[in-house]
Amino acid sequence: MEVTQEKSEKQTWRDLPLELLISLMAYLEIEDNVRASYVCKSWYEAAVSVRIIDQPPWLMYFPKPRNCYEFYNPSNCKKHTMELPKSLVGSKVRYSKDGWLLMSNCISSDFVLFNPFTMDLVDLPYLELWYGYQLVGFSCAPTSSNCVVFTIKDYDPGHVTIRTWSPGETTWTSMQIDSQFLDVKHNYLVFSNGMFYCLNLRNHLAVFDPSLRTFNVLDVPPPICPDDVDEESWYEGKFMVGYKGDIFVICSFGNQDPLVFKLDLTRGVWEKKGNLGSLTIFASINSCESRTYVQDGMSRNSIYFPKLCYNETRCVRYLFDEGRYHPREHNINWGKQRSSKNIWIEAPKNFELV
């Protein structure tokens, strides 16, 4: 008994069973994972076993003529062109998630979910499109029964109409709410924590819960416009993204350094962040993606924008570690480039560009 007690007293963290070490390492961000791997051989083995490299999203864009689309893989700079189905020629992308696109024809009320990798199409029920919907999106791929397509529009002053659809339904479910939340343009949407987060031009935040069918404007003061940024630029270059339940807003102003804010619901504030840590954000108007373990050659603690440079061999990106854009002079004017031509999309793991 004395020998057993002496051994237990001499045990350290490095003596933890490998299974338990692996469970602990799975919760670490990449920087802490790397630090932990230096402790000892067993910690290295556990850290490396869960250090799974995430495939970055691909950039998808529509060259002229718009009867085709192209993919660009930022990790190896490969490109691939595919032909757009005839029924979608002239349609615009409204939202992207889980490798699917929500698209609508510019002159009709037809919404469709389209997988540009498998060419699968899901037609949605007819929906009257009175001057377009200011905000549309969906929760997950339509192959899941949990998919919810969300649309919101203000038909008359002081009211918004929300319509939702899920796989298997033949009509849209509608509800009207007293609200003046939406703007004519510049509204943003992210699905996270089982809810749709909506951001308007004035940077006010609202949440729609599809399970309870409630829409609430949160009591969270908007981020304050810096003194050295003009108001028009402050409203134009916005991007919103979710990551493991957290909500981030990125504000960009031409060649000036972007600002990043993280939502703190407990305190009811937008917390300004000096960097992204181990996170990498891929930002575009209708789709934003986030990754932690990006491939070698990709920049962590960075924001990748949907713009190709240097003869289309690299994306415009901002490197927080270096405090600069690459390239430094990127000539992006978000006020004039708010189209859906360039978006980030999650590619299937086994899909290869040839």
Side-chain angles (χ1 to χ4, degrees), residues 25-206:
M25 295 294 179
Y27 287 95
L28 299 181
E29 298 289 356
I30 181 65
E31 292 177 350
D32 296 325
N33 178 291
V34 173
R35 293 191 187 101
S37 67
Y38 293 145
V39 172
C40 61
K41 184 177 180 180
S42 60
W43 280 46
Y44 174 83
E45 183 180 349
V48 171
S49 69
V50 298
R51 199 182 297 168
I52 301 173
I53 302 300
D54 281 340
Q55 175 178 287
W58 293 356
L59 192 62
M60 180 181 177
Y61 50 97
F62 297 83
K64 294 181 179 180
R66 293 191 59 176
N67 59 353
C68 65
Y69 53 94
E70 292 187 359
F71 290 124
Y72 170 81
N73 185 342
S75 65
N76 57 21
C77 304
K78 287 186 177 180
K79 294 194 298 181
H80 182 66
T81 302
M82 299 183 70
E83 187 174 348
L84 192 68
K86 291 182 179 179
S87 61
L88 296 181
V89 174
S91 297
K92 68 179 293 188
V93 175
R94 304 296 300 276
Y95 196 75
S96 173
K97 190 173 178 62
D98 294 350
W100 286 76
L101 305 174
L102 180 61
M103 304 180 71
S104 67
N105 194 293
C106 299
I107 59 175
S108 75
S109 57
D110 297 326
F111 277 102
V112 63
L113 286 162
F114 172 56
N115 188 316
F117 303 98
T118 64
M119 308 300 286
D120 289 333
L121 284 166
V122 177
D123 291 315
L124 275 62
Y126 176 81
L127 182 63
E128 294 220 14
L129 194 67
W130 293 349
Y131 303 109
Y133 281 77
Q134 283 117 312
L135 213 52
V136 300
F138 58 101
S139 60
C140 59
T143 51
S144 168
S145 59
N146 296 323
C147 175
V148 177
V149 179
F150 168 78
T151 72
I152 180 171
K153 175 174 175 53
D154 60 338
Y155 280 105
D156 53 73
H159 298 86
V160 296
T161 297
I162 294 173
R163 288 186 170 91
T164 60
W165 173 89
S166 293
E169 297 178 350
T170 57
T171 60
W172 293 84
T173 301
S174 179
M175 62 182 291
Q176 192 173 71
I177 299 171
D178 293 337
S179 175
Q180 293 182 329
F181 177 79
L182 291 178
D183 296 300
V184 175
K185 58 180 181 177
H186 306 330
N187 301 284
Y188 307 87
L189 184 70
V190 161
F191 183 80
S192 181
N193 304 313
M195 293 183 285
F196 291 96
Y197 288 80
C198 313
L199 187 75
N200 66 14
L201 174 68
R202 296 152 290 164
N203 299 313
H204 294 293
L205 190 68

